[in-house]
Amino acid sequence: MCSKHKDCCSTKVTAPQNAQDSCAMPKITSIKMAGVTTSEAGCCASDGCGSHSDPVDEESDSPALSNSTFTQSWKIDGMDCPSCAKKIETAVRKVAGVLDAKVLFATEKLVIQSNDAAVAPLVEQTILDTGFTYSDPASKGKKNAPLGWKAIFRQNAQIIAIASAMAIAALLKPIVPQVSEWLFVLTCLAGLYPIGKKAIVLAKSGTPFAIETLMSVAALGALYLGETVEAAMVLLLFLIGERLEAFAASRARSGVQALMELVPESAIKIVNGERVEVAASELNPGDVIEVAPGARLPADGRLNSGTASFDESALTGESIPVERFDGDAVMAGAVVVDKVVRFTITSKQGENAIDRILHLIEEAESRKAPLERFLDRFSRWYTPLMMLVALLVILVPPMLFAQPWETWVYRGLALLLIACPCALVISTPAAITSGLAAAARRGALIKGGAALEQLGKVEMVAFDKTGTLTMGKPEVTDIIAISSLTQDELLTKTAAIEVGSSHPLAVSLVRKAKELQLVLPEAMDKQAMIGSGVSGIIDGVEYRVVAPSKLDIELPLDWQNQVQELENEGKTVVVALAEQKQVIGIIAWRDTLREGAAEAVQQLEKLGIKSLMLTGDNPRSAAAMSTMIGIDYKASLLPQDKVHYVESLSSKANVAMVGDGINDAPAMKAASIGIAMGGGTDVALETADAALTHNRLAELAVMIELSRATLSNIRQNIALALGLKGIFLVTSLMGITGLWVAVLADSGATAIVTLNALRLLKFKPKE
């Protein structure tokens, strides 16, 4: 961003006092401009921040943010691997005025916190000095056009030039060896210049032990020893390895980029009855748009025109189009299948379904897996230690054992190249990025490497019943009133005191009353008795709706038999009381079992994972439901009881808690890992470490299987990286392999590790 943008960044952001004030899914309000995004982040009002999902990396030594900061972002081009992201972070954090910097490799975004918006030009110059380029973050949604031959040639011009010069030098060697020798030297120096320059810049910005530094030392050392051919070969192989890494990195980000491209750039807006084409970024809540068959929604909206079918496979993994009705919510990125439809926009800019998913993926990078954090720490001292070892290899044999200097300088340089930690450092993030992208494609959001690693260790899954194993939309099935009351009168009294409650049973009861066109009186002094029922006063009479197990009176025998009979049918029952102790009737509901619930339990069992249903329902109703699914259960649990029970389970095994409601959030936090249903409440989604956006429980076992496959892939990558280094370390010290083989071993190991991680993008669950 040039200096003309300085005055644009005038929106201040009040940063949270500490990391715990940030929720897993904050609402984002963005003001976008060329090269800068000034964001104001708000948090949920509840305590729904996940205990396992600290958005600040535990290893971060970032300075504390001041009370008033500016948030700015850029899209970074040219990053080959997460180590590139680390180089940029280190350099940008040294810029005066920058309080914190984070490079999100998956979405290629640099986000900084600063106390002065005018710091932007300094940051941009630092990005360029570090050897990378930047662009407007708004360009993330634009589809990259296929590269033509000219573009491919420009990208690989340095490799082609060095390879061509080496070929010419090799052809001239039998004819004019002296000219050939000098041509190799010039080729090496010309190729080394940009690498050496970058190494110096990185050293000044706080990264003295970058691969560029190792390459420069090794190439200059080879030239000093007269190994001009090897020096040139080292550079050529290094550049080829970098290009392969860039290709592999772009493939690893393909899942995220596919999400970015789901939102169209323009939309047809209805203005005074006229169809006007506008940019998608100009849409605001309340605007009415028209979408034709085959087109995607540019924002979240509500359907205005009857019934229509939508293909949501790119968002949820559901291959069959789904039916939506008038007033139903539809996510951005969904494809209209059968007819022209109109929508009312409901999402603000930067807050649609795609934006929320991308925001979660960006935040996920801050939540590194324990193994990844260990490797980060390991690499901090590994490279300087190996440089010291290489120096000892060069000095000790000649000085103490009278060995030839040339031999051991050469072997020390080879060791230096083999010691490069690129393959080891990328082994974990490459696999995790691929795993997260593969999960997102299937409609499963996993908030970071820590959650992904924890998922793979799950031994038991605890399910909430209502809204998780069931649809969470219970229907009133029985209304039984005393002889002096009609069913409508009982329904009127009980629905009146339930008005305003968000509990599924209450919503269903009020809906039933409206369907029957009953006029509900105004209830006064309404109170919710957590886990028990509700109460309210109508015309001076207090009415209560209470769960049978929470009654403070003994029911008459005939009412007890009625309750027992209904509960044996798997129904949820409440007792209606007037004036504390007078029973005036009972009401029963039946919830629909969620499709795939029984299948999910069976799939988990195949993976050796136990399943358990936790519910506040009575034991008889819970037993009837558990029989249909084939699952163990624990009934009559209040929200706090669920927390204590999950805590006790977590002390003995790795437990995942799956839920959808506000009352499930504490239990999710108490579990080893919390998983939310995508249709659940914001608090549940914010608290959870993972979410099923499509509400298909059958994908839960697939999510765990993918996590296990990712952990296995990480172990394979580490074994490959360390194994290849160990082999070539021995052969180099013995003089069997030379410099170019050392570079090949390093670049080859990095490419193999990355390509192995990419296999996760094509992950398929076992049948």
Side-chain angles (χ1 to χ4, degrees):
M1 179 178 65
C2 60
S3 58
K4 68 182 180 180
H5 292 130
K6 286 184 181 179
D7 297 331
C8 297
C9 306
S10 57
T11 303
K12 289 189 177 182
V13 178
T14 303
Q17 296 303 309
N18 55 57
Q20 306 305 325
D21 292 334
S22 298
C23 287
M25 290 181 66
K27 308 292 189 291
I28 302 294
T29 304
S30 299
I31 302 172
K32 294 187 178 179
M33 59 200 79
V36 174
T37 302
T38 304
S39 304
E40 185 173 346
C43 188
C44 56
S46 71
D47 60 350
C49 305
S51 60
H52 308 294
S53 303
D54 190 351
V56 178
D57 180 10
E58 290 86 341
E59 300 304 317
S60 173
D61 52 1
S62 306
L65 300 182
S66 64
N67 287 333
S68 183
T69 65
F70 294 88
T71 299
Q72 298 166 286
S73 66
W74 293 261
K75 183 176 183 293
I76 305 297
D77 301 311
M79 291 191 295
D80 298 333
C81 65
S83 62
C84 295
K86 199 69 179 176
K87 293 171 187 176
I88 300 169
E89 278 182 18
T90 303
V92 171
R93 281 176 179 167
K94 290 184 175 293
V95 175
V98 173
L99 302 175
D100 191 22
K102 183 69 181 175
V103 177
L104 307 161
F105 180 68
T107 50
E108 300 178 281
K109 186 190 288 186
L110 164 65
V111 181
I112 70 162
Q113 299 281 345
S114 64
N115 53 20
D116 183 4
V119 79
L122 297 176
V123 171
E124 288 164 359
Q125 188 58 49
T126 302
I127 295 170
L128 297 174
D129 290 343
T130 313
F132 301 91
T133 56
Y134 64 88
S135 58
D136 183 347
S139 65
K140 69 180 182 179
K142 297 178 181 177
K143 191 170 183 176
N144 296 326
L147 292 176
W149 286 108
K150 289 184 179 179
I152 293 173
F153 180 82
R154 282 196 302 271
Q155 282 189 356
N156 299 284
Q158 191 177 12
I159 294 174
I160 295 169
I162 292 176
S164 301
M166 288 179 65
I168 294 171
L171 291 173
L172 291 176
K173 192 164 188 177
I175 307 169
V176 277
Q178 194 64 33
V179 174
S180 172
E181 189 77 6
W182 277 107
L183 186 54
F184 272 120
V185 171
L186 291 173
T187 301
C188 185
L189 291 175
L192 185 60
Y193 175 74
I195 297 173
K197 184 180 178 182
K198 188 174 181 179
I200 294 170
V201 171
L202 288 172
K204 288 180 179 179
S205 63
T207 312
F209 302 116
I211 179 60
E212 288 81 5
T213 304
L214 303 183
M215 285 301 309
S216 300
V217 171
L220 289 173
L223 286 177
Y224 172 76
L225 295 173
E227 301 289 347
T228 55
V229 177
E230 285 209 68
M233 183 61 78
V234 162
L235 287 173
L236 179 62
L237 290 173
F238 170 71
L239 293 172
I240 292 173
E242 290 263 287
R243 180 55 56 200
L244 287 173
E245 283 183 26
F247 171 74
S250 68
R251 289 294 304 275
R253 285 191 292 253
S254 61
V256 176
Q257 289 168 344
L259 281 173
M260 293 178 176
E261 293 164 6
L262 288 180
V263 178
E265 295 179 28
S266 62
I268 301 298
K269 181 179 175 182
I270 307 302
V271 181
N272 298 324
E274 299 291 328
R275 300 167 72 256
V276 181
E277 185 172 354
V278 298
S281 59
E282 296 176 10
L283 296 175
N284 294 305
D287 288 346
V288 176
I289 62 169
E290 186 176 275
V291 186
R296 293 187 183 276
L297 266 68
D300 294 349
R302 292 197 178 278
L303 185 60
N304 289 351
S305 41
T307 305
S309 297
F310 296 89
D311 178 0
E312 299 179 352
S313 57
L315 286 162
T316 67
E318 176 58 70
S319 58
I320 301 173
V322 295
E323 293 288 322
R324 298 295 182 201
F325 302 93
D326 192 26
D328 281 358
V330 187
M331 294 182 288
V335 179
V336 181
V337 174
D338 52 358
K339 62 181 181 181
V340 176
V341 292
R342 290 192 176 185
F343 294 88
T344 300
I345 300 299
T346 57
S347 61
K348 297 178 183 178
Q349 284 304 309
E351 293 186 13
N352 65 44
I354 305 295
D355 293 319
R356 291 195 295 272
I357 292 172
L358 290 171
H359 186 70
L360 284 175
I361 292 173
E362 288 176 350
E363 284 194 336
E365 289 198 43
S366 300
R367 304 183 186 94
K368 295 182 178 180
L371 182 57
E372 187 177 1
R373 291 198 298 270
F374 168 75
L375 289 177
D376 279 350
R377 290 196 299 269
F378 179 72
S379 64
R380 290 175 191 174
W381 57 262
Y382 169 80
T383 304
L385 178 63
M386 292 309 295
M387 291 188 77
L388 178 62
V389 171
L391 182 63
L392 292 175
V393 167
I394 292 171
L395 296 176
V396 171
M399 294 180 70
L400 299 183
F401 304 102
Q403 295 290 312
W405 280 96
E406 292 81 2
T407 299
W408 289 99
V409 168
Y410 184 86
R411 292 180 183 180
L413 294 175
L415 175 63
L416 198 62
L417 293 177
I418 290 170
C420 175
C422 284
L424 187 61
V425 170
I426 201 175
S427 60
T428 301
I432 286 175
T433 300
S434 296
L436 293 176
R441 283 181 175 180
R442 301 189 67 94
L445 293 179
I446 303 173
K447 301 179 185 179
L452 189 68
E453 185 172 330
Q454 193 63 47
L455 262 174
K457 299 176 181 177
V458 167
E459 300 167 90
M460 175 180 285
V461 176
F463 293 93
D464 170 58
K465 182 179 82 78
T466 305
T468 303
L469 290 173
T470 65
M471 295 298 291
K473 297 179 180 178
E475 297 292 333
V476 177
T477 57
D478 300 88
I479 303 173
I480 305 171
I482 59 175
S483 58
S484 60
L485 280 180
T486 65
Q487 287 187 351
D488 285 356
E489 287 174 334
L490 175 62
L491 181 58
T492 299
K493 304 294 186 186
T494 52
I497 63 174
E498 295 278 19
V499 170
S501 173
S502 60
H503 194 284
L505 298 182
V507 172
S508 175
L509 194 65
V510 174
R511 185 171 62 245
K512 181 72 173 178
K514 289 181 178 178
E515 287 174 359
L516 297 175
Q517 298 182 343
L518 301 177
V519 178
L520 302 182
E522 184 71 26
M524 308 300 292
D525 198 21
K526 291 186 288 188
Q527 295 183 21
M529 298 172 285
I530 302 300
S532 302
V534 294
S535 66
I537 297 175
I538 302 173
D539 296 331
V541 179
E542 182 183 13
Y543 293 92
R544 288 193 298 157
V545 175
V546 186
S549 61
K550 308 300 179 184
L551 283 172
D552 51 8
I553 62 169
E554 185 175 349
L555 283 175
L557 186 60
D558 57 335
W559 287 111
Q560 289 182 30
N561 293 335
Q562 286 270 22
V563 168
Q564 184 173 341
E565 183 180 335
L566 291 170
E567 289 181 344
N568 287 338
E569 295 174 9
K571 296 176 181 178
T572 301
V573 182
V574 297
V575 178
L577 302 172
E579 296 295 356
Q580 295 294 323
K581 298 183 183 293
Q582 182 187 352
V583 178
I584 60 174
I586 57 177
I587 300 172
W589 292 259
R590 189 197 299 276
D591 202 353
T592 307
L593 187 65
R594 188 179 292 279
E595 184 180 356
E599 182 189 352
V601 172
Q602 291 170 7
Q603 290 177 343
L604 289 171
E605 190 175 348
K606 288 179 182 178
L607 295 176
I609 298 172
K610 297 178 181 178
S611 299
L612 178 69
M613 179 177 72
L614 305 182
T615 177
D617 266 357
N618 60 84
R620 286 188 293 271
S621 180
M625 182 67 70
S626 70
T627 301
M628 289 187 281
I629 304 174
I631 189 174
D632 292 333
Y633 68 91
K634 189 74 175 177
S636 301
L637 295 176
L638 296 174
Q640 60 266 33
D641 297 330
K642 286 185 182 179
V643 175
H644 297 322
Y645 193 71
V646 170
E647 282 177 345
S648 67
L649 291 175
S650 297
S651 65
K652 303 169 187 173
N654 284 304
V655 178
M657 174 68 195
V658 186
D660 76 310
I662 292 174
N663 62 332
D664 299 324
M668 287 183 189
K669 294 174 75 173
S672 307
I673 182 168
I675 303 171
M677 303 297 287
T681 64
D682 286 344
V683 174
L685 289 169
E686 287 162 356
T687 303
D689 303 294
L692 294 168
T693 61
H694 45 46
N695 291 330
R696 287 207 313 275
L697 283 174
E699 290 295 329
L700 181 59
V702 177
M703 186 192 290
I704 293 173
E705 201 174 335
L706 174 60
S707 300
R708 291 181 177 180
T710 304
L711 293 178
S712 176
N713 193 283
I714 290 171
R715 289 191 288 269
Q716 293 168 10
N717 284 347
I718 292 173
L720 281 168
L722 293 178
L724 286 172
K725 285 186 183 299
I727 291 169
F728 286 101
L729 177 66
V730 174
T731 57
S732 295
L733 288 176
M734 294 175 66
I736 298 172
T737 53
L739 285 178
W740 71 272
V741 176
V743 176
L744 189 62
D746 175 63
S747 299
T750 304
I752 290 171
V753 161
T754 307
L755 292 171
N756 185 48
L758 291 179
R759 293 189 303 114
L760 291 168
L761 292 175
K762 297 182 179 180
F763 171 80
K764 291 183 180 179
K766 296 175 183 177
E767 294 297 332

